[in-house]
Every structure is written in structure tokens, then in C-alpha cells.
């Protein structure tokens, strides 16, 4: 069987968790912070893939009623 070319999200998150939970001092606090941020991003990707309706909300926290009152986007002038 051929090896998979890319890591899955689960494999990436496992690797990042190992960095974040490092107690041997191999990784700096900055590395751990970066691992935590990347893990959060991957978790959000997993959530979006699991719930396609999550992608339909244009901006979090802004009700659709308010967005309907915005004017249409301006078009670039033609040169």
C-alpha cells in the first residue's frame, strides 16, 4: 500500500498537542503558543467541515438584519 502523502488534521493536531504539552523543555513558550494557535485554527477547520451551514454566516456577531441595510459594494472604475 502506498504511503499517504499528507498528514490528516487529526495527525497534525496530535503533533501540535505533543509540542504544547512538552515538559522536557525541548520547545520554548513561543513554540507552545504557536502550536496552540495552529491547533485552534485546525479545530475551527474541522468544525467548518463538519457543519457546512457554519460557512454561510458572513461575519460572526453581526445580525443578518443589520447586514441587509448595507449598501451594495462599490465597483472598481473601469480603466
Amino acid at each position: 500500500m502506498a504511503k499517504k502523502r499528507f498528514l490528516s488534521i487529526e495527525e497534525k493536531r496530535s503533533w501540535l498537542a505533543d509540542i504544547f504539552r512538552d515538559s522536557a523543555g525541548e520547545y520554548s513558550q513561543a513554540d507552545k503558543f504557536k502550536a496552540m494557535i495552529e491547533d485552534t485554527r485546525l479545530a475551527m477547520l474541522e468544525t467548518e467541515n463538519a457543519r457546512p451551514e457554519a460557512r454561510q454566516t458572513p461575519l460572526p456577531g453581526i445580525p443578518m438584519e443589520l447586514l441587509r441595510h448595507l449598501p451594495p459594494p462599490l465597483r472598481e472604475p473601469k480603466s
Side-chain angles (χ1 to χ4, degrees):
M1 185 169 105
K3 285 187 177 181
K4 293 187 301 184
R5 186 171 176 184
F6 301 108
L7 296 172
S8 68
I9 291 178
E10 184 177 325
E11 291 169 324
K12 291 176 187 177
R13 291 192 70 200
S14 176
W15 178 71
L16 291 167
D18 289 341
I19 292 173
F20 185 75
R21 293 188 179 110
D22 172 55
S23 59
E26 185 177 346
Y27 299 100
S28 69
Q29 290 289 29
D31 291 334
K32 291 179 181 185
F33 184 71
K34 290 174 191 174
M36 181 180 65
I37 290 172
E38 188 62 23
D39 181 61
T40 303
R41 189 181 72 77
L42 289 172
M44 289 172 59
L45 269 176
E46 274 186 328
T47 303
E48 286 179 5
N49 289 339
R51 295 182 309 137
E53 69 274 2
R55 286 185 239 142
Q56 294 176 356
T57 54
L59 295 174
I62 300 177
M64 285 301 292
E65 301 83 43
L66 290 177
L67 293 176
R68 287 190 193 112
H69 295 289
L70 292 175
L74 297 176
R75 298 195 178 159
E76 294 285 327
K78 294 182 181 181
S79 302

